[in-house]
Amino acid sequence: MTIPNSRSEALWTGFLSVIVVVFGGLAVLNLANRVAIIPSVIWLLIIAWTLWRRGRDAGGTRRYFCDLLAVFLGRRFALSTNDETGQPSVRFGYELFGRRFYERTIPLDRIESVEWSPGQATSMAGRDMKDWSVALWYDHGDPEKSKKQHMLRKPDQDVYIVGPSRPKEDTAALGEDFLAFLRATGSTLLQGDTDSIYIREISATNIQQAGGGNG
């Protein structure tokens, strides 16, 4: 399944990249001319530290630059596969220059829900601010992480945002396509309280039973 790229992310990333390159070049030029040495050194150190940190988080500097190029040139996708243990899984990543790079693998039996909802801008403005997004919630399976996240709404789960933020109609269409993809891979998701929330079958059954017990 092909996942749309984010135009806003590409514009913002391009803007920041231009700033870094231009001012980085000016800093080097200043050092060559022995002008504004201290601020130039500080700026270059900030750039170096940022590149090192992001390269570390991405798994290497080369991977970081591939991730950066993918914002502009990559084709994002989700595919059905098996993880290291042979369990059916969904793998997310992007294709760049004919090569595939993978970002996250989620076993089907850990998928908790698929939801699409607006962001804070829509909630504050009271109208569609084109910031709706599709969220895939899944069990991370780490008790220690749950303890650290105990203040969050879903401490036992992590979230993966599928695709960019867009208007409600476009996001709903992407959500429906993603649901169809998941069901084709073998995942069973049932509609929740609204037509924008779908939860795995065992959770839906528990909710229905709890509702029946309260009645």
Coordinates of all heavy atoms in Angstrom, one line a residue, residues 63-129:
R63 N 22.0 6.8 7.1 CA 20.6 6.6 7.2 C 19.8 7.9 7.4 O 18.7 8.1 6.9 CB 20.2 5.5 8.3 CG 18.8 5.3 8.5 CD 18.1 4.8 7.2 NE 16.7 4.7 7.3 CZ 16.0 3.6 7.7 NH1 16.7 2.5 8.0 NH2 14.7 3.6 7.8
Y64 N 20.4 8.7 8.2 CA 19.7 10.0 8.5 C 19.5 10.8 7.2 O 18.5 11.4 6.9 CB 20.5 10.8 9.5 CG 20.1 12.3 9.6 CD1 18.8 12.6 10.1 CD2 20.9 13.3 9.1 CE1 18.4 13.9 10.1 CE2 20.5 14.6 9.1 CZ 19.2 14.9 9.6 OH 18.8 16.2 9.7
F65 N 20.6 10.9 6.4 CA 20.5 11.6 5.1 C 19.5 11.0 4.1 O 18.8 11.6 3.4 CB 21.8 11.8 4.5 CG 22.6 12.9 5.1 CD1 23.7 12.6 5.9 CD2 22.2 14.2 5.0 CE1 24.5 13.6 6.5 CE2 23.0 15.3 5.6 CZ 24.1 15.0 6.4
C66 N 19.4 9.6 4.2 CA 18.4 8.9 3.4 C 17.0 9.3 3.8 O 16.1 9.5 3.0 CB 18.6 7.4 3.5 SG 20.1 6.8 2.5
D67 N 16.8 9.3 5.1 CA 15.5 9.7 5.7 C 15.2 11.1 5.3 O 14.0 11.5 5.0 CB 15.5 9.6 7.2 CG 15.6 8.2 7.7 OD1 15.4 7.3 6.9 OD2 15.8 8.0 8.9
L68 N 16.2 12.0 5.2 CA 16.0 13.4 4.8 C 15.6 13.5 3.4 O 14.6 14.2 3.0 CB 17.2 14.2 5.1 CG 17.1 15.7 5.0 CD1 16.2 16.3 6.1 CD2 18.5 16.3 5.2
L69 N 16.3 12.8 2.5 CA 15.9 12.8 1.1 C 14.6 12.2 0.8 O 13.9 12.6 -0.1 CB 17.0 12.0 0.3 CG 18.3 12.7 0.0 CD1 19.3 11.7 -0.7 CD2 18.1 13.9 -0.8
A70 N 14.2 11.2 1.7 CA 12.9 10.5 1.5 C 11.7 11.5 1.6 O 10.6 11.3 1.1 CB 12.8 9.4 2.4
V71 N 11.9 12.5 2.4 CA 10.9 13.5 2.6 C 10.5 14.2 1.3 O 9.3 14.5 1.0 CB 11.3 14.6 3.6 CG1 10.3 15.7 3.7 CG2 11.5 14.0 5.0
F72 N 11.5 14.3 0.4 CA 11.3 15.0 -0.9 C 11.1 14.0 -2.0 O 10.2 14.2 -2.9 CB 12.4 15.9 -1.3 CG 12.8 16.8 -0.2 CD1 13.8 16.6 0.7 CD2 12.1 18.0 0.0 CE1 14.2 17.5 1.7 CE2 12.4 18.9 1.0 CZ 13.5 18.7 1.8
L73 N 11.8 12.9 -2.0 CA 11.9 12.0 -3.2 C 11.4 10.6 -2.9 O 11.2 9.8 -3.8 CB 13.3 11.9 -3.7 CG 14.0 13.2 -4.0 CD1 15.5 13.0 -4.4 CD2 13.3 13.9 -5.2
G74 N 11.2 10.2 -1.6 CA 10.8 8.8 -1.3 C 9.4 8.5 -1.6 O 8.5 9.4 -1.6
R75 N 9.1 7.2 -1.8 CA 7.7 6.7 -1.9 C 7.4 5.9 -0.6 O 8.0 4.8 -0.4 CB 7.5 5.8 -3.1 CG 6.1 5.3 -3.3 CD 6.0 4.3 -4.4 NE 6.6 3.1 -4.1 CZ 6.1 2.1 -3.4 NH1 4.8 2.2 -3.0 NH2 6.7 0.9 -3.2
R76 N 6.5 6.4 0.2 CA 6.2 5.7 1.5 C 5.3 4.6 1.2 O 4.4 4.7 0.4 CB 5.7 6.7 2.5 CG 6.7 7.7 2.9 CD 6.4 8.5 4.2 NE 7.5 9.3 4.6 CZ 8.5 8.9 5.3 NH1 8.6 7.7 5.7 NH2 9.5 9.7 5.6
F77 N 5.4 3.5 2.0 CA 4.5 2.3 1.8 C 4.3 1.6 3.1 O 5.0 1.8 4.1 CB 5.2 1.4 0.8 CG 6.5 0.8 1.2 CD1 6.6 -0.3 2.1 CD2 7.7 1.4 0.8 CE1 7.8 -0.8 2.5 CE2 8.9 0.9 1.2 CZ 9.0 -0.2 2.1
A78 N 3.3 0.7 3.1 CA 3.1 -0.3 4.2 C 2.9 -1.6 3.5 O 2.2 -1.7 2.4 CB 1.8 0.1 4.9
L79 N 3.5 -2.6 4.0 CA 3.4 -3.9 3.3 C 3.2 -5.0 4.4 O 3.6 -4.9 5.6 CB 4.6 -4.2 2.5 CG 6.0 -4.2 3.1 CD1 6.3 -5.6 3.7 CD2 7.0 -4.0 2.0
S80 N 2.6 -6.1 3.9 CA 2.4 -7.3 4.8 C 3.6 -8.2 4.7 O 4.1 -8.5 3.6 CB 1.2 -8.0 4.4 OG 1.0 -9.2 5.1
T81 N 4.1 -8.6 5.9 CA 5.3 -9.5 5.9 C 5.3 -10.3 7.2 O 4.3 -10.3 7.9 CB 6.6 -8.6 5.9 OG1 7.7 -9.4 5.8 CG2 6.7 -7.7 7.1
N82 N 6.4 -11.0 7.5 CA 6.6 -11.7 8.7 C 7.8 -11.1 9.5 O 8.7 -10.7 8.8 CB 6.8 -13.2 8.5 CG 5.6 -13.9 7.9 OD1 4.4 -13.5 8.2 ND2 5.8 -14.9 7.1
D83 N 7.7 -11.0 10.8 CA 8.8 -10.5 11.6 C 9.8 -11.5 11.8 O 9.8 -12.6 11.2 CB 8.3 -9.8 12.9 CG 7.7 -10.9 13.8 OD1 7.8 -12.1 13.5 OD2 7.1 -10.5 14.8
E84 N 10.8 -11.3 12.7 CA 11.9 -12.2 12.9 C 11.4 -13.5 13.5 O 12.1 -14.6 13.3 CB 12.9 -11.6 13.8 CG 13.5 -10.2 13.4 CD 12.6 -9.1 13.8 OE1 11.9 -9.2 14.8 OE2 12.5 -8.1 13.0
T85 N 10.3 -13.5 14.2 CA 9.8 -14.7 14.8 C 8.8 -15.5 13.9 O 8.3 -16.5 14.2 CB 9.1 -14.4 16.1 OG1 8.0 -13.6 15.9 CG2 10.0 -13.7 17.1
G86 N 8.6 -14.9 12.7 CA 7.7 -15.6 11.7 C 6.2 -15.1 11.9 O 5.3 -15.6 11.2
Q87 N 5.9 -14.2 12.8 CA 4.6 -13.7 13.0 C 4.2 -12.7 11.9 O 5.0 -11.9 11.5 CB 4.4 -13.0 14.4 CG 4.6 -13.9 15.6 CD 4.4 -13.2 16.9 OE1 4.7 -12.0 17.0 NE2 3.8 -13.8 17.8
P88 N 2.9 -12.8 11.4 CA 2.4 -11.9 10.4 C 2.5 -10.4 11.0 O 2.1 -10.2 12.1 CB 0.9 -12.3 10.2 CG 0.9 -13.7 10.7 CD 1.9 -13.8 11.8
S89 N 3.0 -9.5 10.2 CA 3.3 -8.2 10.6 C 3.0 -7.2 9.5 O 2.9 -7.5 8.4 CB 4.7 -8.0 11.1 OG 5.1 -9.0 12.1
V90 N 3.0 -5.9 9.9 CA 2.9 -4.8 9.0 C 4.2 -4.0 9.1 O 4.6 -3.7 10.2 CB 1.7 -3.9 9.3 CG1 1.7 -2.7 8.4 CG2 0.4 -4.6 9.2
R91 N 4.8 -3.8 8.0 CA 6.1 -3.1 8.0 C 5.9 -1.7 7.2 O 5.4 -1.7 6.1 CB 7.2 -3.9 7.3 CG 8.5 -3.2 7.2 CD 9.6 -4.2 6.7 NE 10.1 -5.0 7.9 CZ 11.1 -5.8 7.8 NH1 11.8 -6.0 6.7 NH2 11.5 -6.5 8.9
F92 N 6.4 -0.7 7.8 CA 6.3 0.7 7.2 C 7.7 1.1 6.8 O 8.7 0.8 7.5 CB 5.8 1.7 8.3 CG 4.3 1.4 8.7 CD1 4.1 0.6 9.8 CD2 3.3 1.9 8.0 CE1 2.8 0.4 10.2 CE2 2.0 1.6 8.3 CZ 1.7 0.8 9.5
G93 N 7.8 1.8 5.7 CA 9.1 2.3 5.3 C 8.9 3.2 4.0 O 7.8 3.7 3.8
Y94 N 10.0 3.4 3.3 CA 10.0 4.1 2.1 C 10.9 3.6 1.1 O 11.9 2.8 1.4 CB 10.3 5.6 2.4 CG 11.7 5.9 3.0 CD1 12.8 6.0 2.2 CD2 11.8 6.0 4.3 CE1 14.1 6.2 2.7 CE2 13.1 6.2 4.9 CZ 14.2 6.3 4.1 OH 15.4 6.5 4.6
E95 N 10.7 3.9 -0.2 CA 11.5 3.4 -1.3 C 12.3 4.7 -1.8 O 11.6 5.7 -2.1 CB 10.7 2.7 -2.3 CG 11.6 2.1 -3.5 CD 10.7 1.3 -4.4 OE1 9.9 0.5 -4.0 OE2 10.9 1.6 -5.6
L96 N 13.6 4.6 -1.9 CA 14.4 5.7 -2.4 C 15.4 5.2 -3.4 O 16.2 4.3 -3.0 CB 15.0 6.4 -1.2 CG 15.9 7.6 -1.5 CD1 15.0 8.8 -2.0 CD2 16.6 8.1 -0.3
F97 N 15.4 5.7 -4.6 CA 16.3 5.3 -5.7 C 16.4 3.8 -5.8 O 17.4 3.1 -6.0 CB 17.8 5.8 -5.3 CG 17.8 7.3 -5.1 CD1 18.5 7.8 -4.1 CD2 17.2 8.1 -6.0 CE1 18.6 9.2 -3.9 CE2 17.3 9.5 -5.9 CZ 18.0 10.0 -4.8
G98 N 15.2 3.2 -5.8 CA 15.1 1.7 -6.1 C 15.4 0.8 -4.9 O 15.4 -0.4 -5.0
R99 N 15.7 1.4 -3.7 CA 16.0 0.6 -2.5 C 15.0 0.9 -1.4 O 14.6 2.0 -1.3 CB 17.4 1.0 -2.0 CG 17.9 0.2 -0.8 CD 19.2 0.6 -0.4 NE 19.6 -0.1 0.8 CZ 20.8 0.1 1.5 NH1 21.6 1.0 1.0 NH2 21.0 -0.6 2.6
R100 N 14.6 -0.1 -0.7 CA 13.7 0.0 0.4 C 14.4 0.2 1.7 O 15.3 -0.5 2.0 CB 12.8 -1.2 0.4 CG 11.7 -1.3 -0.7 CD 10.8 -2.5 -0.6 NE 9.7 -2.4 -1.5 CZ 8.8 -3.3 -1.7 NH1 8.8 -4.4 -0.9 NH2 7.8 -3.2 -2.6
F101 N 13.8 1.1 2.5 CA 14.3 1.4 3.8 C 13.1 1.2 4.8 O 12.0 1.7 4.5 CB 14.8 2.8 4.0 CG 16.0 3.0 3.1 CD1 15.9 3.4 1.8 CD2 17.3 2.9 3.7 CE1 17.0 3.7 1.0 CE2 18.4 3.2 2.9 CZ 18.3 3.5 1.6
Y102 N 13.3 0.4 5.9 CA 12.2 0.1 6.8 C 12.3 0.9 8.1 O 13.4 1.1 8.6 CB 12.2 -1.4 7.1 CG 12.0 -2.2 5.8 CD1 13.0 -2.9 5.3 CD2 10.7 -2.2 5.2 CE1 12.9 -3.7 4.1 CE2 10.6 -3.0 4.0 CZ 11.6 -3.7 3.5 OH 11.5 -4.4 2.4
E103 N 11.2 1.5 8.5 CA 11.1 2.3 9.7 C 10.6 1.6 10.9 O 11.0 1.8 12.0 CB 10.3 3.6 9.4 CG 10.9 4.4 8.3 CD 10.1 5.6 8.0 OE1 8.8 5.4 7.9 OE2 10.6 6.7 7.7
R104 N 9.5 0.8 10.7 CA 8.9 0.2 11.9 C 8.2 -1.1 11.4 O 7.5 -1.1 10.3 CB 7.9 1.1 12.5 CG 7.4 0.6 13.9 CD 6.7 1.7 14.7 NE 7.5 3.0 14.8 CZ 7.1 4.0 15.5 NH1 6.0 3.9 16.3 NH2 7.8 5.1 15.6
T105 N 8.2 -2.1 12.3 CA 7.5 -3.4 12.0 C 6.6 -3.7 13.2 O 7.1 -3.7 14.3 CB 8.5 -4.6 11.8 OG1 9.4 -4.3 10.7 CG2 7.8 -5.9 11.5
I106 N 5.3 -3.9 12.9 CA 4.4 -4.1 14.0 C 3.6 -5.4 13.8 O 3.0 -5.6 12.8 CB 3.3 -2.9 14.0 CG1 4.1 -1.6 14.2 CG2 2.3 -3.2 15.1 CD1 3.2 -0.4 14.1
P107 N 3.7 -6.4 14.7 CA 3.0 -7.6 14.6 C 1.5 -7.4 14.6 O 1.0 -6.5 15.3 CB 3.4 -8.4 15.8 CG 4.7 -7.9 16.2 CD 4.6 -6.4 15.9
L108 N 0.8 -8.1 13.7 CA -0.7 -7.9 13.6 C -1.4 -8.1 15.0 O -2.3 -7.4 15.3 CB -1.3 -8.9 12.6 CG -1.0 -8.7 11.1 CD1 -1.7 -9.6 10.3 CD2 -1.3 -7.2 10.7
D109 N -0.9 -9.1 15.8 CA -1.6 -9.4 17.0 C -1.4 -8.3 18.1 O -1.9 -8.4 19.2 CB -1.2 -10.8 17.6 CG 0.2 -10.9 17.9 OD1 1.0 -9.9 17.7 OD2 0.7 -12.0 18.2
R110 N -0.5 -7.3 17.8 CA -0.3 -6.2 18.7 C -1.1 -5.0 18.4 O -1.1 -4.0 19.1 CB 1.2 -5.9 18.8 CG 2.0 -7.0 19.5 CD 3.4 -6.5 19.9 NE 4.1 -7.4 20.7 CZ 5.3 -7.2 21.3 NH1 5.8 -6.0 21.2 NH2 5.9 -8.1 22.0
I111 N -1.7 -5.0 17.2 CA -2.5 -3.8 16.8 C -3.7 -3.7 17.6 O -4.5 -4.6 17.8 CB -2.9 -3.9 15.3 CG1 -1.6 -3.9 14.4 CG2 -3.8 -2.8 14.9 CD1 -1.9 -4.0 12.9
E112 N -3.9 -2.6 18.3 CA -5.0 -2.3 19.2 C -6.1 -1.6 18.5 O -7.3 -1.9 18.6 CB -4.5 -1.5 20.4 CG -5.6 -1.1 21.3 CD -6.3 -2.3 22.1 OE1 -5.6 -3.3 22.2 OE2 -7.4 -2.2 22.5
S113 N -5.8 -0.5 17.7 CA -6.8 0.3 17.1 C -6.3 1.1 15.9 O -5.1 1.4 15.8 CB -7.5 1.2 18.1 OG -6.7 2.2 18.5
V114 N -7.2 1.5 15.0 CA -6.9 2.5 14.0 C -7.9 3.6 14.2 O -9.1 3.4 14.2 CB -7.0 1.9 12.6 CG1 -6.9 3.0 11.5 CG2 -5.9 0.9 12.4
E115 N -7.4 4.9 14.3 CA -8.3 6.0 14.5 C -7.9 7.2 13.6 O -6.7 7.3 13.4 CB -8.3 6.4 16.0 CG -8.4 5.3 17.0 CD -8.1 5.7 18.4 OE1 -8.1 6.9 18.7 OE2 -8.0 4.8 19.3
W116 N -8.8 8.0 13.2 CA -8.5 9.2 12.6 C -9.3 10.3 13.3 O -10.5 10.2 13.5 CB -8.7 9.2 11.1 CG -10.0 8.8 10.5 CD1 -11.1 9.5 10.2 CD2 -10.3 7.4 10.1 NE1 -12.1 8.8 9.7 CE2 -11.6 7.5 9.6 CE3 -9.6 6.2 10.2 CZ2 -12.3 6.3 9.2 CZ3 -10.3 5.1 9.8 CH2 -11.6 5.1 9.2
S117 N -8.5 11.4 13.6 CA -9.1 12.5 14.4 C -8.4 13.8 14.1 O -7.3 13.8 13.5 CB -9.0 12.2 15.9 OG -7.6 12.0 16.2
P118 N -9.0 14.9 14.4 CA -8.3 16.2 14.1 C -7.3 16.5 15.2 O -7.2 16.0 16.3 CB -9.5 17.2 14.2 CG -10.4 16.6 15.2 CD -10.3 15.1 15.0
G119 N -6.4 17.5 14.8 CA -5.4 18.0 15.7 C -5.9 19.1 16.6 O -7.1 19.5 16.5
Q120 N -5.0 19.7 17.3 CA -5.4 20.8 18.2 C -5.9 22.0 17.5 O -6.8 22.8 18.0 CB -4.3 21.2 19.1 CG -3.9 20.1 20.1 CD -2.8 20.6 21.0 OE1 -2.2 21.6 20.8 NE2 -2.5 19.8 22.1
A121 N -5.4 22.3 16.3 CA -5.8 23.5 15.5 C -7.3 23.4 15.2 O -8.0 24.4 15.3 CB -5.0 23.6 14.2
T122 N -7.8 22.3 14.8 CA -9.2 22.1 14.5 C -10.1 22.3 15.7 O -11.1 22.9 15.7 CB -9.5 20.8 13.8 OG1 -8.9 20.8 12.5 CG2 -11.0 20.5 13.6
S123 N -9.6 21.7 16.8 CA -10.4 21.8 18.1 C -10.5 23.2 18.5 O -11.5 23.6 19.0 CB -9.7 20.9 19.1 OG -9.6 19.5 18.7
M124 N -9.4 24.0 18.4 CA -9.4 25.3 18.9 C -10.2 26.3 17.9 O -10.8 27.2 18.4 CB -7.9 25.8 19.0 CG -7.1 25.1 20.1 SD -5.4 25.7 20.1 CE -5.6 27.4 20.6
A125 N -10.1 26.0 16.6 CA -10.7 26.9 15.7 C -12.2 26.6 15.5 O -13.0 27.4 15.1 CB -10.1 26.8 14.3
G126 N -12.6 25.4 15.8 CA -14.0 25.0 15.7 C -14.4 24.7 14.2 O -15.6 24.5 13.9
R127 N -13.4 24.5 13.4 CA -13.6 24.1 12.0 C -12.4 23.3 11.5 O -11.4 23.3 12.1 CB -13.9 25.4 11.1 CG -12.7 26.4 11.1 CD -13.0 27.6 10.4 NE -11.9 28.6 10.4 CZ -10.9 28.7 9.6 NH1 -10.9 27.8 8.6 NH2 -10.0 29.6 9.7
D128 N -12.6 22.7 10.3 CA -11.5 21.9 9.8 C -10.3 22.7 9.4 O -10.4 23.5 8.5 CB -12.1 21.1 8.6 CG -11.1 20.0 8.1 OD1 -10.0 19.9 8.7 OD2 -11.4 19.3 7.2
M129 N -9.2 22.5 10.1 CA -8.0 23.2 9.8 C -7.0 22.3 9.0 O -5.8 22.6 9.0 CB -7.3 23.7 11.1 CG -8.2 24.7 11.9 SD -8.5 26.2 10.9 CE -6.9 26.9 10.9

